[in-house]
Amino acid sequence: MGHSTASTPSRLRQPELEAEFNRSPSLGYEPTAEVGFIRCLEHGYPTPLARWHCHEEYEFHIITTTSGKTFVGDWIGPFEPGHVVLCGPRLPHNWISLDVPPEGVEKRDLVIQFRHAPIEKACQSIPELMEVMPLLERARHGIEFFGFSHLGQEHWKIIKAAKGMRRFAAFLAFMTDLTRWSDYRLLSSARMQGMDNDDELDQINAIVNRITENVAQPITAADVAAELGMSESRFSRFFRRATGNTFTDFVNHVRINQACQLLMNSDQYITNICYAVGFNNVANFNRRFLEIKGTTPSEFRKQAESRFGGSSS
C-alpha cells in the first residue's frame, strides 16, 4: 500500500509526484488534457495513491467501502463507508483500510480535486464566489462532514460525467451545498504544511503503516530512530514536523482509537482490550484513554451502547 521509491527519483518533490500519478490513468486519474482545474478520481485499495502525502490541490474525499484509520494533519480517527472529508492544500492525509480482503477492493474512494488560485482570482471579479472562501479557509484544518455522503456521491457522479461549462456549473452546485452544510467538524488542530521531500514522506508513510497495522507491537522512538540511522532527538523533531504529534502521542492515539472500536464492536473485557492494543498495564491504559477521549473505557462503552443500541460480538 505504500509507494515504492524504486520508480521515483530519490529527491522528487511531492507536487511532481502527484503530476506523475496524474499522467497515469491506470491509477484512476482523468488525463490532464481532458480536464480543467476540476479533477475527478476514483480508486480502490491498496494503491500507490493511498499513502501519507500532501499536494497543492484541495481534495474532497468520500469513502465508499472498508473501514480503518484516518490521518489528517495531526488528527487520527476511525473511518467507515460514508466518511466525507475536505482537505486543504499541503495538508498531509492518508486513509488506511484495516478490513481489506486478500484480493483488495476495486473501489474505495471518490475524490474531487481543485486548486485555490483560480477560485481566488475569480472572486476578484465575481463577488458571488466569495461565499465559498470561509469554507476553503476551514479546509486548511481538514473538515469532516456528517450526513453528506449520499449527496456528495450524487455530486461526484454529475461532475465526473460533465465536461467544459457543464462541469464547472456542476462544481459550483456542489460547492454551494458544501458551503451551506452545517453538520461538520474541523480535524487537525494545527494548520500543517506537508514536507516536499519524497524520501522523507516514504519514511513517514512506512512508520504510520507499521504502527497502524501492528498496533499491539512494542515500538519506541529509539527503535525507529536507530532503524533510520538517526539520533533519537533528530527523529523526534522529524516525526513531529511531519505529523504534528510526538511519536509517543501518535502511537497512543492510534492504540486508543483501536480500543474504541473494540469497546463498541465486541464484548471483550476492558483488561483484554488494554493488552490487545499494546498497553502493558491497565492503569496506564485507563489514564491515556481518559486523557485522549475525556472519559473512561467503561463509560465510553456505556455511551456507545446507549447511542448504537448495544455492541455486537
Side-chain angles (χ1 to χ4, degrees):
M1 77 184 64
H3 174 72
S4 170
T5 56
S7 60
T8 308
S10 62
R11 293 292 172 182
L12 190 64
R13 289 171 62 84
Q14 186 66 16
E16 295 170 5
L17 178 61
E18 290 294 321
E20 286 296 320
F21 284 154
N22 182 31
R23 288 192 287 270
S24 179
S26 65
L27 290 175
Y29 274 102
E30 298 173 309
T32 302
E34 296 181 11
V35 297
F37 89 103
I38 307 155
R39 187 165 59 203
C40 287
L41 163 70
E42 62 180 326
H43 65 74
Y45 191 90
T47 170
L49 297 173
R51 65 196 300 274
W52 177 266
H53 71 296
C54 62
H55 39 69
E56 296 296 338
E57 296 89 353
Y58 292 90
E59 185 166 282
F60 174 78
H61 207 105
I62 301 176
I63 297 288
T64 58
T65 59
T66 76
S67 59
K69 292 288 183 291
T70 309
F71 302 86
V72 175
D74 65 2
W75 190 83
I76 304 167
F79 74 82
E80 59 186 13
H83 179 76
V84 176
V85 169
L86 176 65
C87 292
R90 307 295 299 160
L91 180 65
H93 53 272
N94 190 20
W95 284 260
I96 299 178
S97 294
L98 299 175
D99 57 354
V100 181
E103 68 274 14
V105 292
E106 184 179 353
K107 294 182 180 180
R108 187 193 73 162
D109 305 66
L110 300 178
V111 177
I112 298 172
Q113 292 183 338
F114 56 95
R115 291 176 287 114
H116 183 81
I119 297 176
E120 183 178 45
K121 189 172 182 180
C123 283
Q124 296 172 13
S125 53
I126 307 175
E128 289 84 354
L129 283 176
M130 288 297 297
E131 185 178 338
V132 80
M133 296 308 288
L135 171 74
L136 300 185
E137 180 66 21
R138 293 193 297 272
R140 296 183 181 276
H141 293 271
I143 310 169
E144 181 178 9
F145 296 89
F146 301 100
F148 195 81
S149 177
H150 178 73
L151 181 57
Q153 290 184 55
E154 290 302 310
H155 276 300
W156 186 91
K157 291 173 186 175
I158 293 169
I159 294 170
K160 174 71 173 175
K163 303 295 181 186
M165 283 289 290
R166 289 190 182 278
R167 171 169 281 204
F168 184 61
F171 174 75
L172 290 179
F174 159 66
M175 292 301 288
T176 299
D177 281 345
L178 205 57
T179 296
R180 297 176 181 178
W181 200 261
S182 60
D183 194 3
Y184 67 84
R185 64 172 169 175
L186 303 187
L187 298 180
S188 181
S189 62
R191 288 175 40 160
M192 295 176 60
Q193 293 286 301
M195 299 178 297
D196 288 332
N197 186 302
D198 195 54
D199 283 349
E200 292 181 350
L201 282 164
D202 278 332
Q203 289 175 330
I204 290 296
N205 187 58
I207 295 165
V208 170
N209 288 345
R210 175 177 168 186
I211 294 168
T212 305
E213 294 171 2
N214 303 280
V215 67
Q217 177 184 330
I219 186 170
T220 67
D223 294 336
V224 181
E227 292 173 14
L228 296 177
M230 297 182 184
S231 68
E232 189 172 347
S233 60
R234 181 188 168 198
F235 170 73
S236 295
R237 290 192 300 272
F238 163 70
F239 190 85
R240 181 150 198 167
R241 179 165 55 92
T243 68
N245 288 278
T246 67
F247 183 80
T248 299
D249 284 347
F250 187 92
V251 171
N252 283 337
H253 273 80
V254 171
R255 288 174 172 173
I256 294 301
N257 271 287
Q258 181 63 25
C260 289
Q261 298 304 301
L262 293 173
L263 287 165
M264 288 190 293
N265 300 318
S266 79
D267 295 322
Q268 292 185 51
Y269 290 117
I270 290 173
T271 301
N272 293 345
I273 290 174
C274 160
Y275 296 117
V277 301
F279 287 91
N280 54 20
N281 72 76
V282 177
N284 186 40
F285 170 68
N286 287 333
R287 186 163 53 249
R288 295 294 170 240
F289 197 101
L290 180 62
E291 179 183 288
I292 291 169
K293 290 299 186 182
T295 187
T296 64
S298 58
E299 282 300 317
F300 180 89
R301 174 171 268 170
K302 288 177 185 176
Q303 292 168 13
E305 288 173 350
S306 173
R307 181 176 178 185
F308 300 114
S311 61
S312 58
S313 57

